[in-house]
Amino acid sequence: MAAVITVRGPFAFMRRLVSARLHKHCCSRVQVACLAHRPHSYSLTAGPQHRFFHTSYVAAGPILQFKLSDIGEGIMEVTVKEWYVKVGDKVSQFDSICEVQSDKASVTITSRYDGIIRKLYYEIDSIANVGKPLVDIETDTGKVEGPQEDVVETPAMSQEEHTHQEIKGHKTQATPAVRRLAMENNIKLSEVVATGKDGRILKEDILNFIARQTGAILPPAPFEEIQPPPPAPSVPSAPAAKPAPSIPTPVVPKPVFTGKDRTESIKGFQKAMVKTMSSALKIPHFGYCDEVDLTQLVRLRSELKGLSESRGVKLSYMPFFIKAASLGLLHFPILNASLDENCTNITYKAAHNIGLAMDTTQGLLVPNVKNVQMLSVFEIGVELNRLQTLGASGQLGTSDLMGGTFTLSNIGSIGGTYAKPVILPPEVAIGALGKMQVLPRFNSKGDLVKAHIMTVSWSADHRIIDGATMCRFSNMWRSYLENPASMVLDLK
């Protein structure tokens, strides 16, 4: 008895479906729909000994190696942080393939071709080299009818196997903070059971996974050892006093510690910090500290805060600190310079690209606001809001992180008062801003008043900058902030 099967779908799917054994008394026509593919007809003759069928299939396009191109700044290797595709996925041009992280920035790699992913060359957290293949893509080159061939039925893939593959290739959902916690503990997110909404992995899931892996052994319950009373003398020579009641002495067992040391390689932004700080400590630093009375600036900012928020920008004190620094650099350009490795040439930078040290989920990053000398306080606030949003989500680009000429570090946002900041080569100066405190101070009339005081700690390259220059710059910067109306005279 002959059974006629009409199948719609790619050749590989048809082979798996037809490979299922047909019962003698099943219906003579089976139809399977697979979207986005045109139908092809296949005939099968069922006999007691052999079951063969002829196929007319669509020839596959050429498989191209999609290589990791040069992402600039002399970067030769990156770490693969996340795959957005899996084998078998169909991609189009400009679709996201994966996210990689160099020692300077995170970059999303997009596809150059339309086609189907056939191979992934790297696992998560593996090192990928520039110029080497990332994935193999079977490109779309038009449907071409291929030669006919005899195909023997093969065992079909079960529904359970298909479901397992879909789950295995599913993209994990987690915040950057959770991903960093997993990376620090060398945990693959695909192995963690998610309890958040829509399959999102929470911080508690990571901590529970760590607890299951380490499995602390609880100490046994303490027990009491009771010492028997001393034996009574055989012949008492005098009335014996009553022995003191024995006090049970608890024996506390020593806890068993099961933790293990963990060693991991230094990579990504941490690797960049090692390189930068090693170079920085070759510079002879000198420090200078002072305090600034921000009472008038606090009053001015409170007046402008509502207006700024009505324009969609959160106005902090940092735009004022950055603008005052730029005004001071106009008078002391040596602080906005760089020194070559041989200490033979000084380059005075025309642009004031003032960096702001940020504590992000990826570690310490220093993006910079470009051309501060041409921006208003409000425009600086707009740019700071953009950089802080990108930093919080781990999306700061190379252009945001490169080209800085002068840096301010706001340690006061965490709670510090004084610091000894380290210069970021090739810059020659950096300032660390302490927390603002309400402290008693005497005004010009000798009256005791409340004042908003902030400390500042400067570090400078003592090879080309002397203490007097740093002191004069700090005094000018402080005067702009203590009397913010004076900045209006110098704004352009």
Side-chain angles (χ1 to χ4, degrees), residues 123-377:
E123 299 289 339
I124 299 295
D125 291 331
S126 297
I127 301 298
N129 295 317
V130 171
K132 300 296 183 180
L134 274 177
V135 297
D136 284 352
I137 301 180
E138 180 184 319
T139 58
D140 295 338
T141 58
K143 297 180 179 179
V144 181
E145 295 294 331
Q148 292 186 343
E149 61 178 347
D150 290 336
V151 181
V152 182
E153 62 178 349
T154 55
M157 181 177 66
S158 66
Q159 178 65 25
E160 289 78 11
E161 292 174 353
H162 177 71
T163 304
H164 174 71
Q165 288 183 355
E166 290 298 323
I167 294 175
K168 185 177 179 181
H170 189 270
K171 178 182 176 182
T172 57
Q173 300 185 55
T175 63
V178 173
R179 292 181 186 276
R180 178 173 178 81
L181 179 62
M183 181 178 64
E184 290 175 348
N185 291 276
N186 199 22
I187 296 174
K188 293 184 178 180
L189 291 178
S190 59
E191 299 177 356
V192 179
V193 178
T195 62
K197 184 179 179 181
D198 299 327
R200 184 177 295 276
I201 297 177
L202 306 178
K203 180 180 179 181
E204 291 76 11
D205 300 334
I206 301 293
L207 297 178
N208 291 336
F209 183 87
I210 296 173
R212 288 196 300 271
Q213 294 296 317
T214 56
I217 300 176
L218 297 178
F223 63 92
E224 296 181 352
E225 181 180 315
I226 301 177
Q227 299 178 353
S234 57
V235 180
S237 57
K242 276 188 176 184
S246 61
I247 301 175
T249 304
V251 178
V252 180
K254 295 182 179 180
V256 178
F257 179 67
T258 60
K260 296 181 179 179
D261 294 343
R262 179 168 51 89
T263 302
E264 59 183 29
S265 59
I266 298 177
K267 53 189 175 181
F269 292 109
Q270 193 175 22
K271 184 176 181 180
M273 181 180 291
V274 171
K275 181 179 178 180
T276 302
M277 292 298 101
S278 298
S279 300
L281 292 181
K282 298 177 183 178
I283 300 173
H285 287 55
F286 84 91
Y288 176 81
C289 299
D290 201 357
E291 67 176 32
V292 187
D293 187 348
L294 300 179
T295 304
Q296 293 190 44
L297 181 61
V298 171
R299 189 180 304 114
L300 175 62
R301 185 238 180 188
S302 63
E303 295 174 357
L304 298 177
K305 183 178 179 181
L307 177 61
S308 178
E309 290 180 352
S310 67
R311 299 183 185 181
V313 176
K314 182 180 178 181
L315 184 63
S316 64
Y317 293 103
M318 279 307 301
F320 296 96
F321 299 154
I322 291 175
K323 189 60 183 180
S326 177
L327 294 174
L329 292 176
L330 293 174
H331 296 271
F332 299 93
I334 187 66
L335 298 176
N336 197 57
S338 64
L339 187 64
D340 63 2
E341 293 184 1
N342 297 325
C343 299
T344 55
N345 297 292
I346 300 176
T347 301
Y348 295 87
K349 303 291 185 177
H352 296 173
N353 299 339
I354 298 182
L356 175 64
M358 289 185 180
D359 180 27
T360 71
T361 57
Q362 297 171 299
L364 177 64
L365 299 180
V366 189
N368 57 83
V369 181
K370 301 290 194 299
N371 296 312
V372 176
Q373 77 280 2
M374 301 174 60
L375 302 180
S376 66
V377 171

Side-chain angles (χ1 to χ4, degrees), residues 71-75 77-78 101-107 267-273 275-276 362 364-366 396-402:
I71 58 179
E73 303 296 337
I75 296 171
E77 64 179 26
V78 295
Q101 185 183 80
S102 69
D103 57 357
K104 296 180 180 178
S106 294
V107 179
K267 53 189 175 181
F269 292 109
Q270 193 175 22
K271 184 176 181 180
M273 181 180 291
K275 181 179 178 180
T276 302
Q362 297 171 299
L364 177 64
L365 299 180
V366 189
L396 285 169
T398 304
S399 60
D400 296 323
L401 298 170
M402 304 303 293

